[in-house]
């Protein structure tokens, strides 16, 4: 395995998506979901469709976390399942469009998912026999995708949806609905999406009402004309042949080559066919259209299509690799007690200073420019011209330089319950001392992370320091205590994802632990994969040996051991 193979692994790609979109992503468990703060993706099998679903789901849910104000839509969703479904469609289109402005590549990922959903039949245009609520929502989905998410793949589905919509509902309602839909691209917030949704629901409610009965003698019943007014037939008296185009009554051409009684007023269809109002199904007149609108208002959840991303989540859950161990935890920040941290920093500085001095001396000697004399060259060494008089032609000088260290290190600290009452403090002091010693090293970058999370959550790791942080500024974060189990594999995946995003050529994970991980096979597999990809995996056993797990392993019993064991490791890291 090379580094490219590891880069394509699910936890690494998911971490990259999380960094890119600025959201927390967790890989592991057996279900896909989001809790409004982070996105969970199961450890899926190595299947192209599963990965496509995972990346599309992650991108869509990341768009929600970035651009949806979940509280702003609560009032609208509370108005019933139809309002909730309409808001879901409108908001999905809005947030995906918003996501593609700062992240143009998101279009490829999202379009691939939606085209798969269309091809798989998970989203489709409505059918003539569907319930009215499903006709409306599915039309909004496919027409919205085509018109307002600019997806050509949905063109045929959008045309079919429009046909079914026009057949089902009154023409006036369809016309006004399309006018409201045209506002979707201009929406800038969840509140705006909710307001547009409520206007759509209000339109349904208004057009579902029975029209008021005509008043006796109301001229509008005859188009603002009195009964018998010749203008009703085009300024001609009843019976005038011109009313039928200068043809005698009964002439077939008067009805457009139709037999007497064929209802030409409905466009060449049998009486009662409502195509005259927009290609509607036979018998579906204005009254039937209002009935269809009333059916929408009384619809329950079972009358509506299932939320598509709930279906995507279910599909992902069907691709799980059978492992519930978190492979990529999310990161929680932690400031800690800075006063106590400063006191601990002062206590650790003694050993750290000794280590730093030795490392600095080694690095300086390693980086020292060395000048030597050679027989050929472009620069003459004036100090050695006398050699020419005795036949020694080594009078040219050449400078040899060595590159400074170019190494990124991630310290991973085990703070499981077995580390209580001593080993936890030892690990944190050792990490602080080493990070402090490496801090002045040119070409060296160091981060430190503890596991599990402070609430014993195995899907969370705790930030101690990031690359570029000064140890003094983060001293409070080194003041932590042991807790929970030993979910080491997730912490190792997190550190690997962090290092793969770094520019340094050499990448090292240094793990301080007192024993075995919760899931040995998962942790050992991760160590093997990372090692094969060129990440150097080093284990520091605190009071125990970890050489069964790590290819390079040492054991320490006190901070003072840093002078010996960790110095030897640091020397290899910096000078190799």
């Amino acid at each position: 395995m090379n580094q490219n193979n590891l880069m394509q692994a699910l936890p690494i790609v998911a971490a990259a998506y999380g960094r890119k979109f600025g959201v927390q992503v967790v890989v592991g468990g057996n279900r896909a979901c989001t809790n409004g703060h982070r996105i969970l993706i199961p450890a899926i099998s190595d299947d192209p469709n599963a990965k496509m679903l995972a990346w599309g789901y992650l991108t869509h849910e990341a768009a929600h976390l970035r651009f949806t104000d979940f509280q702003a839509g609560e009032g609208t969703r509370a108005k019933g399942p139809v309002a909730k479904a309409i808001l879901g469609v409108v908001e999905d289109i809005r947030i995906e469009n918003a996501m593609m402005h700062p992240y143009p590549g998101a279009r490829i990922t999202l379009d691939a998912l939606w085209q798969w959903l269309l091809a798989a039949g998970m989203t489709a245009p409505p059918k003539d026999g569907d319930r009215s609520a499903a006709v409306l929502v599915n039309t909004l989905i496919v027409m919205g995708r085509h018109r307002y998410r600019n997806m050509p793949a949905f063109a045929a589905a959008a045309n079919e949806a429009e046909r079914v919509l026009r057949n089902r509902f009154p023409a006036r309602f369809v016309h006004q609905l399309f006018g409201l839909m045209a506002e979707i691209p201009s929406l800038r917030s969840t509140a705006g999406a909710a307001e547009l949704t409520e206007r759509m629901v209000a339109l349904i409610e208004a057009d579902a009402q029975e029209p008021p009965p005509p008043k006796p003698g109301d001229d509008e019943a005859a188009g603002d004309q009195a009964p018998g007014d010749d203008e009703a037939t085009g300024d001609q008296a009843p019976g005038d042949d011109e009313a039928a185009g200068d043809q005698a009554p009964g002439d077939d051409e008067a009805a457009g080559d139709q037999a007497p009684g064929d209802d030409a007023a409905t466009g060449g269809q049998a009486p009662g066919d409502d195509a005259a109002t927009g290609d509607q199904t036979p018998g579906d007149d204005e009254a039937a259209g209002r009935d269809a609108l009333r059916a929408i208002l009384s619809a329950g959840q079972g009358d509506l299509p299932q939320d598509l991303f709930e279906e995507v989540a279910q599909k992902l859950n069907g691709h799980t690799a059978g492992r519930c161990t978190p492979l990529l935890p999310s990161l929680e920040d932690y400031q800690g007690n800075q006063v106590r941290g400063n006191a601990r920093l002062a206590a650790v500085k003694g050993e750290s200073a000794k280590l730093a001095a030795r490392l600095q001396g080694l690095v300086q000697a390693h980086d020292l420019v060395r000048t030597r004399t050679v027989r050929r060259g472009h620069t003459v060494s004036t100090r050695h011209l006398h050699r020419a008089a005795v036949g020694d032609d080594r009078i040219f000088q050449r400078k040899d330089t060595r590159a400074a260290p170019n190494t990124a290190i991630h310290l991973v600290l085990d703070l499981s319950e077995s580390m209580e009452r001593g080993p936890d403090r030892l690990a944190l002091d050792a990490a602080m001392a080493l990070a402090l010693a490496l801090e002045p090293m040119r070409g060296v970058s160091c981060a430190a992370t503890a596991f599990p999370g402070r609430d014993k959550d195995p899907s969370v790791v705790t930030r101690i320091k990031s690359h570029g942080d000064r140890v003094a500024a983060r001293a409070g974060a080194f003041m932590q205590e042991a807790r929970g189990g030993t979910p080491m594999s997730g912490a190792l995946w997190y550190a690997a994802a962090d290092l793969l995003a770094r520019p340094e050529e050499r990448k090292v994970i240094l793990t301080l632990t007192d024993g075995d991980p919760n899931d040995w096979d998962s942790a050992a597999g991760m160590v093997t994969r990372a090692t094969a990809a060129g990440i150097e995996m080093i284990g520091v056993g605190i009071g125990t040996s970890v050489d069964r797990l790590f290819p390079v392993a040492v054991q320490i019993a006190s901070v003072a051991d840093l002078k010996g064991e960790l110095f030897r490791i640091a020397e290899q890291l910096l000078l190799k």
Side-chain angles (χ1 to χ4, degrees):
M1 178 184 294
N2 56 32
Q3 193 172 100
N4 287 335
N5 297 132
L6 187 63
M7 289 286 286
Q8 295 169 7
L10 174 66
I12 303 301
V13 178
Y17 272 59
R19 285 193 303 271
K20 179 179 180 180
F21 298 144
V23 298
Q24 294 277 10
V25 181
V26 174
V27 176
N30 54 12
R31 69 190 186 101
C33 63
T34 180
N35 61 6
H37 303 287
R38 58 181 183 171
I39 303 167
L40 284 75
I41 297 178
I44 59 175
S45 58
D46 191 17
D47 174 82
N49 274 341
K51 289 184 176 181
M52 178 273 299
L53 290 173
W55 308 147
Y57 178 84
L58 196 159
T59 303
H60 180 87
E61 295 301 328
H64 273 304
L65 295 187
R66 288 291 305 275
F67 300 109
T68 292
D69 181 347
F70 294 97
Q71 291 185 342
E74 284 184 357
T76 301
R77 288 190 290 270
K79 293 181 181 296
V82 172
K84 179 181 178 181
I86 294 174
L87 177 58
V89 175
V90 173
E91 182 71 352
D92 280 353
I93 295 172
R94 185 190 74 82
I95 56 104
E96 288 188 11
N97 282 334
M99 194 69 158
M100 291 183 297
H101 283 291
Y103 309 109
R107 177 183 294 277
I108 298 173
T109 304
L110 291 168
D111 284 2
L113 171 63
W114 279 101
Q115 289 168 18
W116 184 89
L117 291 173
L118 184 65
M122 292 177 64
T123 185
K127 300 181 179 63
D128 286 316
D130 289 349
R131 297 187 180 188
S132 294
V135 169
L136 175 67
V137 173
N138 281 326
T139 297
L140 291 174
I141 291 173
V142 297
M143 288 190 69
R145 290 276 142 194
H146 177 237
R147 292 185 177 184
Y148 309 119
R149 256 280 276 112
N150 300 317
M151 296 189 66
F154 277 75
N159 290 337
E160 175 62 10
E162 182 175 354
R163 182 194 70 77
V164 175
L165 188 79
R166 289 186 181 279
N167 281 353
R168 182 64 59 90
F169 302 110
R172 177 178 176 277
F173 167 78
V174 173
H175 176 74
Q176 291 182 306
L177 177 67
F178 287 171
L180 293 176
M181 289 176 63
E183 298 182 27
I184 293 176
S186 64
L187 296 175
R188 294 294 178 267
S189 67
T190 304
E195 190 269 340
L196 179 60
T197 296
E198 294 187 13
R199 287 163 57 199
M200 290 182 178
V201 173
L203 173 64
I204 299 170
E205 292 172 342
D207 283 19
Q209 300 296 317
E210 293 288 346
K215 297 178 181 179
D218 193 344
D219 291 344
E220 291 181 3
D224 296 327
Q225 300 178 33
D229 191 338
D230 289 347
E231 290 180 8
T233 57
D235 297 326
Q236 298 180 33
D240 191 340
D241 290 346
E242 289 180 11
D246 296 326
Q247 298 179 32
D251 190 334
D252 290 346
E253 292 179 9
D257 297 326
Q258 299 177 27
D262 193 350
D263 195 354
T266 59
Q269 301 187 28
D273 191 339
D274 290 311
T277 59
D279 296 327
Q280 297 175 354
T281 54
D284 187 9
D285 55 12
E286 289 293 324
R290 288 192 294 273
D291 288 341
L293 292 173
R294 284 192 286 270
I296 294 176
L297 296 174
S298 61
Q301 192 61 52
D303 300 314
L304 294 161
Q306 184 179 355
D307 182 276
L308 279 169
F309 281 87
E310 289 182 3
E311 293 193 70
V312 172
Q314 291 172 9
K315 287 287 185 182
L316 278 174
N317 298 343
H319 284 281
T320 56
R323 180 187 294 116
C324 295
T325 299
L327 294 185
L328 179 70
S330 62
L331 179 70
E332 65 175 2
D333 199 6
Y334 178 61
Q335 297 298 324
N337 188 314
Q338 188 66 21
V339 174
R340 291 180 58 208
N342 289 338
R344 200 65 206 171
L345 180 63
V348 168
K349 275 185 175 179
E351 294 299 333
S352 180
K354 296 175 185 177
L355 178 61
R358 294 185 64 184
L359 292 177
Q360 189 70 46
L362 279 174
V363 171
Q364 288 176 345
H366 193 66
D367 290 345
L368 188 63
V369 176
R370 177 171 175 261
T371 302
R372 58 192 179 95
T373 55
V374 294
R375 289 184 171 84
R376 296 180 178 83
H378 299 286
T379 304
V380 175
S381 174
T382 56
R383 293 174 53 202
H384 298 91
L385 285 176
H386 63 278
R387 291 179 177 178
V390 294
D392 187 347
D393 57 359
R394 293 177 298 154
I395 60 173
F396 297 95
Q397 66 180 16
R398 177 180 298 170
K399 293 182 179 181
D400 293 336
T401 60
R402 293 180 181 271
N406 187 24
T407 303
I409 302 172
H410 200 120
L411 306 179
V412 176
L413 279 71
D414 173 6
L415 291 184
S416 58
E417 288 180 349
S418 61
M419 296 275 287
E420 283 183 320
R421 297 181 179 86
D424 52 353
R425 187 67 264 154
L426 178 59
L428 288 160
D429 285 352
M432 179 183 278
L434 182 57
L436 194 60
L438 294 174
E439 195 167 84
M441 302 291 109
R442 182 167 56 93
V444 179
S445 176
C446 181
T449 303
F451 69 92
R454 296 184 60 247
D455 290 331
K456 304 181 182 180
D457 187 347
S459 66
V460 174
V461 292
T462 305
R463 172 182 174 237
I464 299 177
K465 73 177 293 290
S466 301
H467 297 280
D469 288 342
R470 303 286 295 182
V471 174
R474 297 290 303 169
F478 285 87
M479 302 308 297
Q480 301 188 39
E481 296 178 351
R483 67 268 178 157
T486 315
M488 186 184 295
S489 58
L492 295 178
W493 273 108
Y494 178 85
D498 169 72
L499 292 178
L500 289 173
R502 296 292 306 172
E504 289 84 1
E505 182 179 352
R506 294 188 63 206
K507 306 174 192 302
V508 181
I509 296 177
L510 183 63
T511 304
L512 290 87
T513 180
D514 72 334
D516 293 343
N518 289 349
D519 187 335
W520 175 272
D521 291 339
S522 177
M526 171 54 201
V527 171
T528 300
R529 294 185 72 172
T531 301
I535 298 178
E536 297 171 56
M537 305 295 289
I538 301 173
V540 177
I542 300 177
T544 187
S545 173
V546 292
D547 56 1
R548 286 198 311 132
L549 184 59
F550 294 96
V552 177
V554 298
Q555 181 175 341
I556 64 172
S558 67
V559 177
D561 287 347
L562 284 173
K563 278 196 306 183
E565 301 297 341
L566 289 189
F567 174 77
R568 181 171 59 84
I569 293 175
E571 180 182 9
Q572 294 176 358
L573 297 181
L574 299 179
L575 307 184
K576 183 176 178 181

